[in-house]
Structures are given as C-alpha cells and as structure tokens.
Amino acid sequence: MEDFADEIAKLCIDKYIKLGKSGKPTETEWTVLSGIVLRKGDGLLSLVALATGTKCLGEIDLINTELYKDGCRLNDSHAEVLARRAFLRYLYEQINLLLDGTKSDVFTMDDKKKLKLNNGISFHFFTSQTPCGDCSIFPKDEFCENDTPPMKIRKHDYDDAGEVIMESYNDKKEQIIKDIYRTGAKCVKTEQYQDPHLGGVNYHVIGPLRTKPGRGNPTLSLSCSDKMAKWNILGLQGSLLSILIPSIKMETITVGGKCPFSLEAMERGLHKRFNNKETPGLKIMQAKFSFQQQKNHKRKYPCPSSIIWCA
C-alpha cells in the first residue's frame, strides 16, 4: 500500500504544481494541501477535488457582520474542508451529467430512477499534514544520548488525564517520552474533560471534540479531526445530497511525507474514540512524497489565501 499512498500524494501535488500562482504561498508562507481521488473499476486514478487553506474565522469575525447575515462569509477554510466542498460540487456536476443523458464516472440510474454508485469505484483522501485536533496529539520520541539505535514502542496507553503509560522492548535501551505534539484546537467547552495545559505529556487530553484556532478569538468550527471522523461515519456527501445518492465513504486516507504522523493517533481521532471497533475498509497511510509548501523553519507564516479546484 506504500506505492498506492505515493500515487495518491503525487497525483495531488503534481496538480497543485500545474495550477497558477494565484492563491499560493510566498517563500516565507506555508499552507496545507488536500485532495480527493476517484479510483475507477479498472484501477485508473483520477483527481476530482483539490484545495489549500489554513484559515478559519473566529466567532466575532463570523457573526458580527452584515456579510454573515447574507450568508457571504465562509467559516472554515482549512484545506481538508475546502477539498470536501470542491468534491460536493463535483458530485452535483456528475448528477447533472447523468440527468442530461451523458455518462457519469460516479453514478448510474436504476429502473426505479434512483441514483446508484458505479460498480468498483472508490474514493481516496489526501492531506499534506496530519489533521488538526485529536489526530495531531501523540508522543514525541526522545532517546537517551548513546550510540544505540532508536527502538520501537510496543504500546502507548493513556490514563484519564491523557498521560502516556509506556512500555519498551528493552529496559537497557530505554526510550524516554518527554513531550507530545500539540494542536491549537481547543476542547469544546461542554466536553467533560479539558486540557490541563501541564508540562510535557500532560498538556493535552485525548478524545474530546475540539474547535479550530481562529484569528485571535475562538472559532465555532470543529477541528478537521472531528469533521473527518464525521465524514468517515456518515459519508462525505452531507445531509442534502444524502437525499439523492448513497453514502460515499473514504476508502483510504493518505498523509503527506516529512510531517509528524502517528497511525495510532489517526485511528483514534477518526473512529476509535467513538467506537473502538475497526472501521471496515478504511486504510490510513503516510506517503513518502511531501508537499514542499508545508510548514518548516523557512516557511513560518500561514498563507492567508486558498485554492479550491474540482474536475
């Protein structure tokens, strides 16, 4: 599946490179890239939705404006959410093609005039970095200063406070976990458990729903981890399209290379914190290919603009 993850990543990144300069970050700015790929019955991959974005409006910016009353302000412009918006537009276009008598890559109509998904197709999600929120909270690995090679951790367990309980394979080559990767997403105020903001691994709790960080004031938008978990359970199509079409689930989720990644945290954030059973068919992977405009020591500022594209 590593080769498949690289195919998905390369397809999205290559399309981004071919797009014009408008909306792209400068040399000191970073952004996130997300996309959705259609795999047809013959195995052919086709990119159908793509977006970049890092911004989300705060509550004050969103509500206290005339534009909000007119429905002209977009709450959430993170790449994952915009890619899904582009995907919805693609689905509406595919429905229109079918109704106009043209062949659709996604839908067919049965004898009862109901829309069905074409046989053998599947959809695959890509994001250049781990989604904000619960999926981004996992231990940083630090090693004793010696010549021994890094060891694998056998198991990570968490207590109610979010503290890591760690087992190692070899007591003589002890691996020390001092800190965790942190997310700017804040726990929803109505959640039972809140971040203690203590040092090291006790900074966050895991499991609660979170809202995205905003431009200086809290947002009303749930984190990408929470939204993707919803799509994983209910489908990408949303409530309106669900009246017309079957549920569309993600078969794979690929995270870009050269960014912090934990399969355990991704599985927890997308389904295990709600239902510890395995999600049938969902495969989570990390590609080797990386997005060059992701955050690094040279790119310190989030790009204020976004790109949104669909086939």
Side-chain angles (χ1 to χ4, degrees):
M1 293 296 287
E2 288 185 4
D3 291 341
F4 182 74
D6 288 337
E7 285 186 67
I8 296 294
K10 190 174 186 302
L11 199 60
C12 295
I13 293 171
D14 284 352
K15 179 62 180 179
Y16 170 84
I17 293 172
K18 292 177 182 178
L19 296 175
K21 293 182 179 180
S22 178
K24 291 185 176 181
T26 65
E27 291 182 356
T28 60
E29 293 176 339
W30 60 272
T31 192
V32 179
L33 174 69
S34 293
I36 297 177
V37 174
L38 165 67
R39 185 177 187 177
K40 299 180 181 179
D42 58 5
L44 182 65
L45 297 176
S46 174
L47 181 66
V48 298
L50 190 78
T52 65
T54 65
K55 296 297 184 179
C56 184
L57 290 179
E59 180 179 359
I60 296 174
D61 297 326
L62 180 66
I63 291 181
N64 295 338
T65 65
E66 291 298 323
L67 286 173
Y68 171 74
K69 295 178 182 178
D70 295 335
C72 295
R73 301 207 75 181
L74 187 60
N75 185 356
D76 191 342
S77 293
H78 279 212
E80 297 93 330
V81 176
L82 292 183
R84 186 222 174 215
R85 290 175 69 91
F87 180 62
L88 295 182
R89 181 171 180 174
Y90 169 77
L91 293 179
Y92 280 114
E93 188 68 24
Q94 290 295 309
I95 293 172
N96 283 334
L97 288 174
L98 191 64
L99 295 179
D100 289 341
T102 305
K103 184 179 178 181
S104 166
D105 290 333
V106 180
F107 301 111
T108 55
M109 189 175 292
D110 63 18
D111 296 336
K112 298 180 180 179
K113 302 296 182 180
K114 289 187 177 182
L115 294 174
K116 298 174 62 177
L117 293 176
N118 288 339
N119 292 330
I121 67 169
S122 56
F123 294 96
H124 306 266
F125 198 95
F126 169 78
T127 183
S128 61
Q129 71 178 40
T130 303
C132 66
D134 205 80
C135 290
S136 293
I137 303 172
F138 52 90
K140 292 182 178 180
D141 296 345
E142 297 184 7
F143 302 91
C144 298
E145 294 183 1
N146 54 38
D147 296 329
T148 59
M151 297 183 326
K152 293 182 179 179
I153 298 175
R154 183 168 62 193
K155 184 179 180 182
H156 288 154
D157 287 327
Y158 299 82
D159 61 18
D160 290 339
E163 185 171 356
V164 177
I165 304 169
M166 187 269 298
E167 297 178 73
S168 65
Y169 279 106
N170 191 327
D171 293 335
K172 294 181 181 179
K173 300 177 182 179
E174 183 180 3
Q175 186 176 30
I176 302 171
I177 300 175
K178 295 181 179 180
D179 204 354
I180 56 175
Y181 289 101
R182 299 178 183 181
T183 178
K186 306 294 189 295
C187 294
V188 173
K189 293 180 180 179
T190 55
E191 288 285 340
Q192 180 181 359
Y193 297 105
Q194 299 290 317
D195 289 329
H197 293 152
L198 300 175
V201 296
N202 295 314
Y203 188 84
H204 283 309
V205 292
I206 54 174
L209 298 176
R210 295 174 177 269
T211 53
K212 289 183 171 73
R215 298 178 181 179
N217 63 85
T219 75
L220 301 176
S221 181
L222 287 177
S223 72
C224 288
S225 294
D226 299 324
K227 290 190 174 184
M228 291 179 68
K230 175 184 174 182
W231 305 338
N232 180 43
I233 296 169
L234 300 178
L236 289 161
Q237 74 289 334
S239 58
L240 182 58
L241 270 176
S242 65
I243 300 172
L244 303 174
I245 64 175
S247 176
I248 296 178
K249 300 291 185 72
M250 302 174 285
E251 185 166 302
T252 66
I253 296 174
T254 297
V255 177
K258 296 183 180 179
C259 73
F261 172 82
S262 166
L263 177 59
E264 181 180 356
M266 287 288 292
E267 290 177 339
R268 181 193 69 228
L270 296 182
H271 62 87
K272 285 187 176 179
R273 57 183 166 139
F274 306 110
N275 183 350
N276 201 36
K277 296 180 180 178
E278 294 294 330
T279 300
L282 180 64
K283 179 74 174 178
I284 301 171
M285 307 167 287
Q286 185 174 31
K288 295 176 183 176
F289 280 94
S290 62
F291 182 50
Q292 297 301 309
Q293 283 72 36
Q294 66 186 16
K295 189 175 183 180
N296 57 40
H297 66 284
K298 292 183 179 179
R299 297 181 178 272
K300 299 180 179 180
Y301 308 103
C303 180
S305 302
S306 294
I307 293 172
I308 184 168
W309 173 92
C310 69

